[in-house]
Short mmCIF file of all heavy atoms in Angstrom, two decimals:
data_model
loop_
_atom_site.label_atom_id
_atom_site.label_comp_id
_atom_site.label_asym_id
_atom_site.label_seq_id
_atom_site.Cartn_x
_atom_site.Cartn_y
_atom_site.Cartn_z
N SER A 94 -25.73 -0.68 -26.28
CA SER A 94 -26.86 -0.76 -25.35
C SER A 94 -28.08 -1.40 -26.01
O SER A 94 -28.74 -2.25 -25.41
CB SER A 94 -27.25 0.63 -24.84
OG SER A 94 -26.24 1.16 -24.04
N ASN A 95 -28.37 -0.98 -27.22
CA ASN A 95 -29.56 -1.51 -27.91
C ASN A 95 -29.40 -2.99 -28.27
O ASN A 95 -30.35 -3.77 -28.16
CB ASN A 95 -29.88 -0.68 -29.15
CG ASN A 95 -30.47 0.66 -28.78
OD1 ASN A 95 -30.96 0.86 -27.68
ND2 ASN A 95 -30.42 1.59 -29.71
N VAL A 96 -28.20 -3.39 -28.67
CA VAL A 96 -27.96 -4.80 -29.00
C VAL A 96 -28.07 -5.65 -27.74
O VAL A 96 -28.72 -6.70 -27.74
CB VAL A 96 -26.59 -4.96 -29.70
CG1 VAL A 96 -26.15 -6.41 -29.74
CG2 VAL A 96 -26.63 -4.38 -31.11
N LEU A 97 -27.44 -5.22 -26.67
CA LEU A 97 -27.51 -5.98 -25.41
C LEU A 97 -28.94 -6.05 -24.89
O LEU A 97 -29.41 -7.10 -24.44
CB LEU A 97 -26.59 -5.35 -24.36
CG LEU A 97 -25.10 -5.56 -24.58
CD1 LEU A 97 -24.29 -4.71 -23.59
CD2 LEU A 97 -24.73 -7.02 -24.44
N SER A 98 -29.65 -4.94 -24.95
CA SER A 98 -31.04 -4.91 -24.49
C SER A 98 -31.92 -5.84 -25.33
O SER A 98 -32.78 -6.54 -24.79
CB SER A 98 -31.58 -3.49 -24.54
OG SER A 98 -32.93 -3.47 -24.17
N THR A 99 -31.70 -5.84 -26.63
CA THR A 99 -32.46 -6.72 -27.51
C THR A 99 -32.18 -8.18 -27.18
O THR A 99 -33.10 -9.01 -27.15
CB THR A 99 -32.12 -6.44 -28.99
OG1 THR A 99 -32.48 -5.10 -29.29
CG2 THR A 99 -32.84 -7.39 -29.92
N ALA A 100 -30.91 -8.50 -26.91
CA ALA A 100 -30.56 -9.87 -26.55
C ALA A 100 -31.24 -10.28 -25.24
O ALA A 100 -31.79 -11.38 -25.13
CB ALA A 100 -29.04 -10.01 -26.43
N VAL A 101 -31.23 -9.39 -24.26
CA VAL A 101 -31.89 -9.69 -22.98
C VAL A 101 -33.38 -9.85 -23.19
O VAL A 101 -33.99 -10.81 -22.70
CB VAL A 101 -31.59 -8.59 -21.93
CG1 VAL A 101 -32.45 -8.75 -20.69
CG2 VAL A 101 -30.11 -8.58 -21.56
N LEU A 102 -33.99 -8.94 -23.92
CA LEU A 102 -35.43 -9.01 -24.17
C LEU A 102 -35.80 -10.30 -24.91
O LEU A 102 -36.75 -10.98 -24.53
CB LEU A 102 -35.91 -7.79 -24.96
CG LEU A 102 -37.40 -7.77 -25.29
CD1 LEU A 102 -38.24 -7.69 -24.02
CD2 LEU A 102 -37.72 -6.61 -26.21
N GLY A 103 -35.06 -10.62 -25.95
CA GLY A 103 -35.34 -11.84 -26.70
C GLY A 103 -35.21 -13.07 -25.82
O GLY A 103 -36.07 -13.96 -25.83
N TRP A 104 -34.16 -13.14 -25.04
CA TRP A 104 -33.93 -14.28 -24.15
C TRP A 104 -35.04 -14.39 -23.13
O TRP A 104 -35.58 -15.47 -22.91
CB TRP A 104 -32.56 -14.11 -23.49
CG TRP A 104 -32.15 -15.25 -22.63
CD1 TRP A 104 -31.82 -16.51 -23.04
CD2 TRP A 104 -32.06 -15.24 -21.22
NE1 TRP A 104 -31.50 -17.27 -21.94
CE2 TRP A 104 -31.63 -16.52 -20.81
CE3 TRP A 104 -32.26 -14.26 -20.25
CZ2 TRP A 104 -31.42 -16.85 -19.49
CZ3 TRP A 104 -32.04 -14.60 -18.92
CH2 TRP A 104 -31.64 -15.88 -18.55
N VAL A 105 -35.42 -13.27 -22.52
CA VAL A 105 -36.47 -13.27 -21.50
C VAL A 105 -37.81 -13.69 -22.11
O VAL A 105 -38.51 -14.55 -21.56
CB VAL A 105 -36.60 -11.89 -20.82
CG1 VAL A 105 -37.90 -11.75 -20.05
CG2 VAL A 105 -35.41 -11.64 -19.91
N MET A 106 -38.16 -13.11 -23.24
CA MET A 106 -39.47 -13.39 -23.84
C MET A 106 -39.58 -14.81 -24.36
O MET A 106 -40.65 -15.41 -24.29
CB MET A 106 -39.76 -12.39 -24.96
CG MET A 106 -39.89 -10.96 -24.49
SD MET A 106 -41.11 -10.72 -23.18
CE MET A 106 -42.62 -11.01 -24.06
N ILE A 107 -38.50 -15.35 -24.86
CA ILE A 107 -38.55 -16.70 -25.42
C ILE A 107 -38.40 -17.76 -24.34
O ILE A 107 -39.11 -18.76 -24.33
CB ILE A 107 -37.49 -16.86 -26.53
CG1 ILE A 107 -37.92 -16.02 -27.74
CG2 ILE A 107 -37.31 -18.32 -26.92
CD1 ILE A 107 -36.87 -15.83 -28.80
N ARG A 108 -37.51 -17.55 -23.41
CA ARG A 108 -37.23 -18.56 -22.39
C ARG A 108 -38.13 -18.47 -21.16
O ARG A 108 -38.34 -19.47 -20.50
CB ARG A 108 -35.76 -18.46 -21.93
CG ARG A 108 -34.76 -18.59 -23.05
CD ARG A 108 -34.57 -19.98 -23.50
NE ARG A 108 -33.71 -20.64 -22.53
CZ ARG A 108 -33.59 -21.93 -22.41
NH1 ARG A 108 -34.27 -22.71 -23.20
NH2 ARG A 108 -32.81 -22.47 -21.53
N PHE A 109 -38.63 -17.27 -20.86
CA PHE A 109 -39.34 -17.09 -19.60
C PHE A 109 -40.73 -16.48 -19.77
O PHE A 109 -41.21 -15.78 -18.89
CB PHE A 109 -38.52 -16.21 -18.64
CG PHE A 109 -37.20 -16.82 -18.30
CD1 PHE A 109 -36.04 -16.32 -18.84
CD2 PHE A 109 -37.12 -17.89 -17.44
CE1 PHE A 109 -34.81 -16.88 -18.53
CE2 PHE A 109 -35.91 -18.47 -17.11
CZ PHE A 109 -34.75 -17.96 -17.66
N SER A 110 -41.36 -16.72 -20.89
CA SER A 110 -42.68 -16.14 -21.11
C SER A 110 -43.73 -16.70 -20.15
O SER A 110 -44.80 -16.14 -20.00
CB SER A 110 -43.12 -16.36 -22.56
OG SER A 110 -43.19 -17.73 -22.85
N ASN A 111 -43.39 -17.79 -19.47
CA ASN A 111 -44.34 -18.40 -18.54
C ASN A 111 -44.11 -17.99 -17.08
O ASN A 111 -44.78 -18.49 -16.20
CB ASN A 111 -44.29 -19.93 -18.66
CG ASN A 111 -42.91 -20.48 -18.34
OD1 ASN A 111 -41.93 -19.74 -18.31
ND2 ASN A 111 -42.84 -21.77 -18.14
N ILE A 112 -43.17 -17.06 -16.82
CA ILE A 112 -42.95 -16.63 -15.43
C ILE A 112 -44.06 -15.67 -15.01
O ILE A 112 -44.83 -15.19 -15.84
CB ILE A 112 -41.56 -15.97 -15.24
CG1 ILE A 112 -41.43 -14.67 -16.03
CG2 ILE A 112 -40.45 -16.94 -15.55
CD1 ILE A 112 -40.15 -13.91 -15.75
N GLN A 113 -44.11 -15.39 -13.73
CA GLN A 113 -45.14 -14.49 -13.20
C GLN A 113 -45.12 -13.17 -13.95
O GLN A 113 -44.06 -12.62 -14.27
CB GLN A 113 -44.92 -14.23 -11.71
CG GLN A 113 -45.30 -15.37 -10.84
CD GLN A 113 -45.15 -14.98 -9.37
OE1 GLN A 113 -44.37 -14.13 -9.01
NE2 GLN A 113 -45.92 -15.65 -8.54
N HIS A 114 -46.31 -12.66 -14.18
CA HIS A 114 -46.46 -11.44 -14.98
C HIS A 114 -45.65 -10.26 -14.43
O HIS A 114 -45.08 -9.50 -15.20
CB HIS A 114 -47.95 -11.07 -15.09
CG HIS A 114 -48.21 -9.95 -16.02
ND1 HIS A 114 -47.99 -10.07 -17.38
CD2 HIS A 114 -48.66 -8.70 -15.80
CE1 HIS A 114 -48.31 -8.92 -17.96
NE2 HIS A 114 -48.72 -8.08 -17.04
N VAL A 115 -45.57 -10.11 -13.13
CA VAL A 115 -44.86 -8.97 -12.56
C VAL A 115 -43.36 -9.05 -12.87
O VAL A 115 -42.71 -8.04 -13.13
CB VAL A 115 -45.14 -8.81 -11.05
CG1 VAL A 115 -44.48 -9.91 -10.24
CG2 VAL A 115 -44.73 -7.44 -10.55
N TRP A 116 -42.79 -10.26 -12.90
CA TRP A 116 -41.37 -10.41 -13.23
C TRP A 116 -41.12 -10.16 -14.71
O TRP A 116 -40.11 -9.56 -15.09
CB TRP A 116 -40.85 -11.79 -12.83
CG TRP A 116 -40.64 -11.88 -11.36
CD1 TRP A 116 -41.41 -12.58 -10.46
CD2 TRP A 116 -39.63 -11.23 -10.60
NE1 TRP A 116 -40.93 -12.40 -9.18
CE2 TRP A 116 -39.82 -11.58 -9.24
CE3 TRP A 116 -38.58 -10.40 -10.91
CZ2 TRP A 116 -39.01 -11.11 -8.21
CZ3 TRP A 116 -37.75 -9.93 -9.90
CH2 TRP A 116 -37.97 -10.29 -8.58
N LEU A 117 -42.03 -10.61 -15.54
CA LEU A 117 -41.92 -10.34 -16.97
C LEU A 117 -42.03 -8.84 -17.23
O LEU A 117 -41.28 -8.29 -18.04
CB LEU A 117 -43.01 -11.11 -17.72
CG LEU A 117 -42.82 -11.32 -19.21
CD1 LEU A 117 -41.50 -12.01 -19.51
CD2 LEU A 117 -43.96 -12.12 -19.78
N THR A 118 -42.93 -8.19 -16.52
CA THR A 118 -43.07 -6.73 -16.62
C THR A 118 -41.79 -6.04 -16.18
O THR A 118 -41.30 -5.11 -16.82
CB THR A 118 -44.27 -6.25 -15.77
OG1 THR A 118 -45.44 -6.90 -16.24
CG2 THR A 118 -44.45 -4.76 -15.85
N PHE A 119 -41.23 -6.50 -15.06
CA PHE A 119 -39.98 -5.95 -14.53
C PHE A 119 -38.85 -6.05 -15.56
O PHE A 119 -38.16 -5.07 -15.83
CB PHE A 119 -39.59 -6.68 -13.24
CG PHE A 119 -38.20 -6.40 -12.76
CD1 PHE A 119 -37.92 -5.25 -12.05
CD2 PHE A 119 -37.17 -7.30 -13.01
CE1 PHE A 119 -36.62 -4.99 -11.60
CE2 PHE A 119 -35.88 -7.05 -12.57
CZ PHE A 119 -35.61 -5.90 -11.85
N LEU A 120 -38.69 -7.24 -16.14
CA LEU A 120 -37.58 -7.48 -17.06
C LEU A 120 -37.82 -6.88 -18.45
O LEU A 120 -36.96 -6.17 -18.98
CB LEU A 120 -37.33 -8.99 -17.19
CG LEU A 120 -36.76 -9.66 -15.96
CD1 LEU A 120 -36.82 -11.18 -16.11
CD2 LEU A 120 -35.33 -9.21 -15.71
N ALA A 121 -38.97 -7.18 -19.04
CA ALA A 121 -39.21 -6.79 -20.43
C ALA A 121 -39.52 -5.30 -20.57
O ALA A 121 -38.89 -4.60 -21.36
CB ALA A 121 -40.34 -7.62 -21.02
N ILE A 122 -40.48 -4.81 -19.81
CA ILE A 122 -40.88 -3.41 -19.95
C ILE A 122 -39.93 -2.50 -19.17
O ILE A 122 -39.43 -1.51 -19.69
CB ILE A 122 -42.33 -3.20 -19.49
CG1 ILE A 122 -43.27 -4.01 -20.37
CG2 ILE A 122 -42.70 -1.72 -19.51
CD1 ILE A 122 -44.71 -4.04 -19.89
N GLY A 123 -39.67 -2.85 -17.91
CA GLY A 123 -38.85 -2.00 -17.07
C GLY A 123 -37.39 -2.01 -17.45
O GLY A 123 -36.85 -1.02 -17.97
N PHE A 124 -36.71 -3.15 -17.22
CA PHE A 124 -35.27 -3.22 -17.43
C PHE A 124 -34.89 -2.96 -18.89
O PHE A 124 -34.06 -2.09 -19.17
CB PHE A 124 -34.71 -4.57 -16.97
CG PHE A 124 -33.23 -4.65 -17.12
CD1 PHE A 124 -32.40 -4.07 -16.19
CD2 PHE A 124 -32.66 -5.29 -18.21
CE1 PHE A 124 -31.01 -4.11 -16.34
CE2 PHE A 124 -31.28 -5.35 -18.37
CZ PHE A 124 -30.46 -4.76 -17.43
N CYS A 125 -35.48 -3.71 -19.82
CA CYS A 125 -35.12 -3.54 -21.23
C CYS A 125 -35.54 -2.19 -21.78
O CYS A 125 -34.85 -1.60 -22.61
CB CYS A 125 -35.69 -4.68 -22.06
SG CYS A 125 -34.88 -6.26 -21.73
N GLY A 126 -36.67 -1.68 -21.28
CA GLY A 126 -37.09 -0.34 -21.70
C GLY A 126 -36.13 0.74 -21.24
O GLY A 126 -35.85 1.70 -21.95
N GLY A 127 -35.59 0.58 -20.03
CA GLY A 127 -34.61 1.53 -19.53
C GLY A 127 -33.24 1.36 -20.14
O GLY A 127 -32.46 2.31 -20.27
N PHE A 128 -32.91 0.13 -20.51
CA PHE A 128 -31.59 -0.18 -21.05
C PHE A 128 -31.47 0.22 -22.52
O PHE A 128 -30.44 0.70 -22.97
CB PHE A 128 -31.33 -1.68 -20.87
CG PHE A 128 -29.91 -2.12 -21.08
CD1 PHE A 128 -28.86 -1.23 -21.22
CD2 PHE A 128 -29.61 -3.47 -21.13
CE1 PHE A 128 -27.56 -1.67 -21.40
CE2 PHE A 128 -28.32 -3.93 -21.31
CZ PHE A 128 -27.29 -3.02 -21.44
N SER A 129 -32.53 0.02 -23.29
CA SER A 129 -32.49 0.38 -24.71
C SER A 129 -32.80 1.86 -24.85
O SER A 129 -33.32 2.50 -23.95
CB SER A 129 -33.50 -0.45 -25.50
OG SER A 129 -34.81 -0.16 -25.10
N THR A 130 -32.49 2.40 -26.01
CA THR A 130 -32.64 3.84 -26.17
C THR A 130 -32.91 4.23 -27.62
O THR A 130 -32.01 4.60 -28.35
CB THR A 130 -31.40 4.56 -25.61
OG1 THR A 130 -31.51 5.94 -25.89
CG2 THR A 130 -30.11 4.02 -26.17
#
């Protein structure tokens, strides 16, 4: 879970740092925060 979450977070932050703030919040803080442990 932690490895997959880190991969998702890294991909999102590097590739999509310019997307709307609410989507970045959804993916980085919400999804990855819930997925990692």
